[in-house]
PDB file of all heavy atoms in Angstrom:
ATOM      1  N   ILE F   1       0.940  -1.246  -0.034  1.00 96.00           N
ATOM      2  CA  ILE F   1       0.007  -0.033   0.043  1.00 96.00           C
ATOM      3  C   ILE F   1       1.010   1.238  -0.008  1.00 96.00           C
ATOM      4  O   ILE F   1       1.821   1.276   0.675  1.00 96.00           O
ATOM      5  CB  ILE F   1      -0.845   0.086   1.186  1.00 96.00           C
ATOM      6  CG1 ILE F   1      -1.766  -1.218   1.283  1.00 96.00           C
ATOM      7  CG2 ILE F   1      -1.782   1.313   1.159  1.00 96.00           C
ATOM      8  CD1 ILE F   1      -2.563  -1.355   2.513  1.00 96.00           C
ATOM      9  N   ASP F   2       0.523   2.252  -0.838  1.00 95.00           N
ATOM     10  CA  ASP F   2       1.255   3.471  -0.910  1.00 95.00           C
ATOM     11  C   ASP F   2       0.398   4.736  -0.867  1.00 95.00           C
ATOM     12  O   ASP F   2      -0.654   4.835  -1.575  1.00 95.00           O
ATOM     13  CB  ASP F   2       2.085   3.299  -2.284  1.00 95.00           C
ATOM     14  CG  ASP F   2       3.020   4.549  -2.485  1.00 95.00           C
ATOM     15  OD1 ASP F   2       3.160   5.383  -1.538  1.00 95.00           O
ATOM     16  OD2 ASP F   2       3.564   4.641  -3.588  1.00 95.00           O
ATOM     17  N   ASN F   3       0.788   5.753   0.096  1.00 95.00           N
ATOM     18  CA  ASN F   3       0.022   6.974   0.036  1.00 95.00           C
ATOM     19  C   ASN F   3       1.054   8.112  -0.594  1.00 95.00           C
ATOM     20  O   ASN F   3       0.859   9.170  -0.326  1.00 95.00           O
ATOM     21  CB  ASN F   3      -0.305   7.368   1.460  1.00 95.00           C
ATOM     22  CG  ASN F   3      -1.654   6.797   1.833  1.00 95.00           C
ATOM     23  OD1 ASN F   3      -1.743   6.429   3.149  1.00 95.00           O
ATOM     24  ND2 ASN F   3      -2.594   6.699   0.990  1.00 95.00           N
ATOM     25  N   HIS F   4       1.989   7.678  -1.370  1.00 95.00           N
ATOM     26  CA  HIS F   4       2.800   8.595  -2.145  1.00 95.00           C
ATOM     27  C   HIS F   4       3.472   9.672  -1.293  1.00 95.00           C
ATOM     28  O   HIS F   4       3.467  10.743  -1.705  1.00 95.00           O
ATOM     29  CB  HIS F   4       2.013   9.082  -3.208  1.00 95.00           C
ATOM     30  CG  HIS F   4       1.305   7.992  -4.046  1.00 95.00           C
ATOM     31  ND1 HIS F   4       1.931   7.307  -5.014  1.00 95.00           N
ATOM     32  CD2 HIS F   4       0.047   7.471  -4.017  1.00 95.00           C
ATOM     33  CE1 HIS F   4       1.064   6.380  -5.520  1.00 95.00           C
ATOM     34  NE2 HIS F   4      -0.034   6.469  -4.862  1.00 95.00           N
ATOM     35  N   GLY F   5       4.068   9.265  -0.109  1.00 95.00           N
ATOM     36  CA  GLY F   5       4.647  10.172   0.700  1.00 95.00           C
ATOM     37  C   GLY F   5       3.949  11.242   1.520  1.00 95.00           C
ATOM     38  O   GLY F   5       4.341  12.192   2.083  1.00 95.00           O
ATOM     39  N   THR F   6       2.703  10.974   1.591  1.00 96.00           N
ATOM     40  CA  THR F   6       1.714  11.951   2.281  1.00 96.00           C
ATOM     41  C   THR F   6       2.130  11.872   3.767  1.00 96.00           C
ATOM     42  O   THR F   6       2.204  10.934   4.393  1.00 96.00           O
ATOM     43  CB  THR F   6       0.299  11.579   2.214  1.00 96.00           C
ATOM     44  OG1 THR F   6      -0.045  11.477   0.703  1.00 96.00           O
ATOM     45  CG2 THR F   6      -0.651  12.617   2.724  1.00 96.00           C
ATOM     46  N   ALA F   7       2.157  13.216   4.458  1.00 97.00           N
ATOM     47  CA  ALA F   7       2.411  13.270   5.853  1.00 97.00           C
ATOM     48  C   ALA F   7       1.218  12.989   6.555  1.00 97.00           C
ATOM     49  O   ALA F   7       0.057  12.965   6.172  1.00 97.00           O
ATOM     50  CB  ALA F   7       2.851  14.783   6.002  1.00 97.00           C
ATOM     51  N   VAL F   8       1.415  12.700   7.861  1.00 96.00           N
ATOM     52  CA  VAL F   8       0.254  12.257   8.743  1.00 96.00           C
ATOM     53  C   VAL F   8      -0.817  13.279   8.981  1.00 96.00           C
ATOM     54  O   VAL F   8      -2.000  12.988   9.301  1.00 96.00           O
ATOM     55  CB  VAL F   8       0.699  11.693   9.997  1.00 96.00           C
ATOM     56  CG1 VAL F   8       1.213  12.716  10.939  1.00 96.00           C
ATOM     57  CG2 VAL F   8      -0.236  10.723  10.610  1.00 96.00           C
ATOM     58  N   ASN F   9      -0.403  14.451   8.867  1.00 97.00           N
ATOM     59  CA  ASN F   9      -1.378  15.668   8.983  1.00 97.00           C
ATOM     60  C   ASN F   9      -1.992  16.287   7.708  1.00 97.00           C
ATOM     61  O   ASN F   9      -2.393  17.290   7.604  1.00 97.00           O
ATOM     62  CB  ASN F   9      -0.720  16.802   9.751  1.00 97.00           C
ATOM     63  CG  ASN F   9       0.608  17.404   9.090  1.00 97.00           C
ATOM     64  OD1 ASN F   9       1.022  16.873   8.058  1.00 97.00           O
ATOM     65  ND2 ASN F   9       1.162  18.443   9.627  1.00 97.00           N
ATOM     66  N   VAL F  10      -1.896  15.479   6.601  1.00 97.00           N
ATOM     67  CA  VAL F  10      -2.255  15.791   5.398  1.00 97.00           C
ATOM     68  C   VAL F  10      -3.438  14.701   4.908  1.00 97.00           C
ATOM     69  O   VAL F  10      -3.127  13.553   5.005  1.00 97.00           O
ATOM     70  CB  VAL F  10      -1.324  15.963   4.259  1.00 97.00           C
ATOM     71  CG1 VAL F  10      -1.891  16.143   2.947  1.00 97.00           C
ATOM     72  CG2 VAL F  10      -0.249  16.937   4.717  1.00 97.00           C
ATOM     73  N   THR F  11      -4.516  15.118   4.497  1.00 96.00           N
ATOM     74  CA  THR F  11      -5.532  14.223   3.889  1.00 96.00           C
ATOM     75  C   THR F  11      -5.114  13.574   2.624  1.00 96.00           C
ATOM     76  O   THR F  11      -4.796  14.239   1.632  1.00 96.00           O
ATOM     77  CB  THR F  11      -6.921  14.875   3.643  1.00 96.00           C
ATOM     78  OG1 THR F  11      -7.229  15.504   4.912  1.00 96.00           O
ATOM     79  CG2 THR F  11      -7.863  13.785   3.257  1.00 96.00           C
ATOM     80  N   PRO F  12      -4.772  12.269   2.601  1.00 96.00           N
ATOM     81  CA  PRO F  12      -4.233  11.650   1.342  1.00 96.00           C
ATOM     82  C   PRO F  12      -5.203  11.943   0.037  1.00 96.00           C
ATOM     83  O   PRO F  12      -6.431  11.617   0.213  1.00 96.00           O
ATOM     84  CB  PRO F  12      -4.124  10.295   1.644  1.00 96.00           C
ATOM     85  CG  PRO F  12      -4.177  10.157   3.165  1.00 96.00           C
ATOM     86  CD  PRO F  12      -5.022  11.237   3.672  1.00 96.00           C
ATOM     87  N   ALA F  13      -4.565  12.384  -0.958  1.00 97.00           N
ATOM     88  CA  ALA F  13      -5.312  12.550  -2.208  1.00 97.00           C
ATOM     89  C   ALA F  13      -5.416  11.344  -3.036  1.00 97.00           C
ATOM     90  O   ALA F  13      -6.265  11.220  -4.003  1.00 97.00           O
ATOM     91  CB  ALA F  13      -4.820  13.745  -2.951  1.00 97.00           C
ATOM     92  N   ARG F  14      -4.473  10.496  -2.782  1.00 97.00           N
ATOM     93  CA  ARG F  14      -4.399   9.107  -3.651  1.00 97.00           C
ATOM     94  C   ARG F  14      -3.901   8.143  -2.770  1.00 97.00           C
ATOM     95  O   ARG F  14      -2.987   8.254  -1.785  1.00 97.00           O
ATOM     96  CB  ARG F  14      -3.502   9.293  -4.827  1.00 97.00           C
ATOM     97  CG  ARG F  14      -3.210   8.014  -5.601  1.00 97.00           C
ATOM     98  CD  ARG F  14      -2.609   8.272  -6.818  1.00 97.00           C
ATOM     99  NE  ARG F  14      -3.377   8.863  -7.844  1.00 97.00           N
ATOM    100  CZ  ARG F  14      -3.237   8.916  -9.145  1.00 97.00           C
ATOM    101  NH1 ARG F  14      -2.167   8.293  -9.699  1.00 97.00           N
ATOM    102  NH2 ARG F  14      -4.129   9.481 -10.002  1.00 97.00           N
ATOM    103  N   ALA F  15      -4.510   6.897  -2.822  1.00 97.00           N
ATOM    104  CA  ALA F  15      -4.093   5.684  -2.154  1.00 97.00           C
ATOM    105  C   ALA F  15      -3.980   4.501  -3.251  1.00 97.00           C
ATOM    106  O   ALA F  15      -4.910   4.313  -3.986  1.00 97.00           O
ATOM    107  CB  ALA F  15      -5.055   5.303  -1.093  1.00 97.00           C
ATOM    108  N   THR F  16      -2.847   3.967  -3.198  1.00 98.00           N
ATOM    109  CA  THR F  16      -2.566   2.962  -4.321  1.00 98.00           C
ATOM    110  C   THR F  16      -2.212   1.704  -3.603  1.00 98.00           C
ATOM    111  O   THR F  16      -1.512   1.556  -2.714  1.00 98.00           O
ATOM    112  CB  THR F  16      -1.359   3.368  -5.232  1.00 98.00           C
ATOM    113  OG1 THR F  16      -1.732   4.518  -5.829  1.00 98.00           O
ATOM    114  CG2 THR F  16      -1.174   2.132  -6.243  1.00 98.00           C
ATOM    115  N   ALA F  17      -2.922   0.663  -3.989  1.00 98.00           N
ATOM    116  CA  ALA F  17      -2.699  -0.672  -3.654  1.00 98.00           C
ATOM    117  C   ALA F  17      -2.166  -1.550  -4.747  1.00 98.00           C
ATOM    118  O   ALA F  17      -2.599  -1.525  -5.854  1.00 98.00           O
ATOM    119  CB  ALA F  17      -3.841  -1.384  -3.072  1.00 98.00           C
ATOM    120  N   ARG F  18      -1.069  -2.239  -4.583  1.00 97.00           N
ATOM    121  CA  ARG F  18      -0.496  -3.164  -5.606  1.00 97.00           C
ATOM    122  C   ARG F  18      -0.411  -4.482  -4.939  1.00 97.00           C
ATOM    123  O   ARG F  18      -0.038  -4.685  -3.956  1.00 97.00           O
ATOM    124  CB  ARG F  18       0.892  -2.597  -6.031  1.00 97.00           C
ATOM    125  CG  ARG F  18       0.912  -1.216  -6.827  1.00 97.00           C
ATOM    126  CD  ARG F  18       2.255  -0.781  -7.075  1.00 97.00           C
ATOM    127  NE  ARG F  18       3.119  -0.514  -6.078  1.00 97.00           N
ATOM    128  CZ  ARG F  18       4.349  -1.035  -5.844  1.00 97.00           C
ATOM    129  NH1 ARG F  18       4.795  -2.093  -6.549  1.00 97.00           N
ATOM    130  NH2 ARG F  18       4.966  -0.665  -4.736  1.00 97.00           N
ATOM    131  N   ILE F  19      -0.831  -5.447  -5.889  1.00 98.00           N
ATOM    132  CA  ILE F  19      -0.892  -6.825  -5.466  1.00 98.00           C
ATOM    133  C   ILE F  19      -0.171  -7.640  -6.583  1.00 98.00           C
ATOM    134  O   ILE F  19      -0.440  -7.563  -7.751  1.00 98.00           O
ATOM    135  CB  ILE F  19      -2.420  -7.404  -5.397  1.00 98.00           C
ATOM    136  CG1 ILE F  19      -3.109  -6.474  -4.289  1.00 98.00           C
ATOM    137  CG2 ILE F  19      -2.417  -8.912  -5.095  1.00 98.00           C
ATOM    138  CD1 ILE F  19      -4.577  -6.775  -4.158  1.00 98.00           C
ATOM    139  N   LYS F  20       0.723  -8.512  -6.309  1.00 97.00           N
ATOM    140  CA  LYS F  20       1.358  -9.421  -7.079  1.00 97.00           C
ATOM    141  C   LYS F  20       0.657 -10.798  -6.817  1.00 97.00           C
ATOM    142  O   LYS F  20       0.700 -11.341  -5.703  1.00 97.00           O
ATOM    143  CB  LYS F  20       2.829  -9.623  -6.888  1.00 97.00           C
ATOM    144  CG  LYS F  20       3.455 -10.552  -7.768  1.00 97.00           C
ATOM    145  CD  LYS F  20       4.946 -10.559  -7.775  1.00 97.00           C
ATOM    146  CE  LYS F  20       5.470  -9.287  -8.639  1.00 97.00           C
ATOM    147  NZ  LYS F  20       5.277  -9.518 -10.041  1.00 97.00           N
ATOM    148  N   PHE F  21      -0.080 -11.263  -7.948  1.00 98.00           N
ATOM    149  CA  PHE F  21      -0.738 -12.546  -7.901  1.00 98.00           C
ATOM    150  C   PHE F  21      -0.043 -13.422  -8.713  1.00 98.00           C
ATOM    151  O   PHE F  21       0.084 -13.337  -9.936  1.00 98.00           O
ATOM    152  CB  PHE F  21      -2.189 -12.321  -8.453  1.00 98.00           C
ATOM    153  CG  PHE F  21      -2.972 -13.531  -8.578  1.00 98.00           C
ATOM    154  CD1 PHE F  21      -2.879 -14.562  -7.723  1.00 98.00           C
ATOM    155  CD2 PHE F  21      -3.883 -13.587  -9.654  1.00 98.00           C
ATOM    156  CE1 PHE F  21      -3.663 -15.739  -7.884  1.00 98.00           C
ATOM    157  CE2 PHE F  21      -4.638 -14.821  -9.775  1.00 98.00           C
ATOM    158  CZ  PHE F  21      -4.514 -15.773  -8.988  1.00 98.00           C
ATOM    159  N   ARG F  22       0.553 -14.557  -8.029  1.00 96.00           N
ATOM    160  CA  ARG F  22       1.420 -15.568  -8.798  1.00 96.00           C
ATOM    161  C   ARG F  22       0.643 -16.957  -8.777  1.00 96.00           C
ATOM    162  O   ARG F  22       0.327 -17.352  -7.677  1.00 96.00           O
ATOM    163  CB  ARG F  22       2.739 -15.683  -8.186  1.00 96.00           C
ATOM    164  CG  ARG F  22       3.874 -14.550  -8.464  1.00 96.00           C
ATOM    165  CD  ARG F  22       5.108 -15.051  -7.961  1.00 96.00           C
ATOM    166  NE  ARG F  22       6.140 -14.214  -8.204  1.00 96.00           N
ATOM    167  CZ  ARG F  22       6.622 -13.408  -7.090  1.00 96.00           C
ATOM    168  NH1 ARG F  22       6.081 -13.541  -6.064  1.00 96.00           N
ATOM    169  NH2 ARG F  22       7.645 -12.568  -7.351  1.00 96.00           N
ATOM    170  N   ALA F  23       0.436 -17.424  -9.757  1.00 96.00           N
ATOM    171  CA  ALA F  23      -0.206 -18.704  -9.889  1.00 96.00           C
ATOM    172  C   ALA F  23       0.430 -19.744 -10.963  1.00 96.00           C
ATOM    173  O   ALA F  23       1.075 -19.272 -11.863  1.00 96.00           O
ATOM    174  CB  ALA F  23      -1.634 -18.473 -10.279  1.00 96.00           C
ATOM    175  N   SER F  24       0.328 -21.028 -10.628  1.00 96.00           N
ATOM    176  CA  SER F  24       0.918 -21.990 -11.480  1.00 96.00           C
ATOM    177  C   SER F  24      -0.113 -22.305 -12.558  1.00 96.00           C
ATOM    178  O   SER F  24      -1.239 -21.916 -12.511  1.00 96.00           O
ATOM    179  CB  SER F  24       1.250 -23.287 -10.676  1.00 96.00           C
ATOM    180  OG  SER F  24       0.103 -23.849 -10.258  1.00 96.00           O
TER     181      SER F  24
END
């Protein structure tokens, strides 16, 4: 999960979730 460097006293304008799904 990534809030792109947002500080804790700033409302995040973007939240990104990245998932690596590996299957056989």
Side-chain angles (χ1 to χ4, degrees):
I1 302 171
D2 188 3
N3 276 145
H4 307 280
T6 304
V8 73
N9 57 354
V10 176
T11 305
R14 171 171 287 198
T16 301
R18 292 183 292 124
I19 298 171
K20 180 169 282 292
F21 171 38
R22 287 192 182 100
S24 67

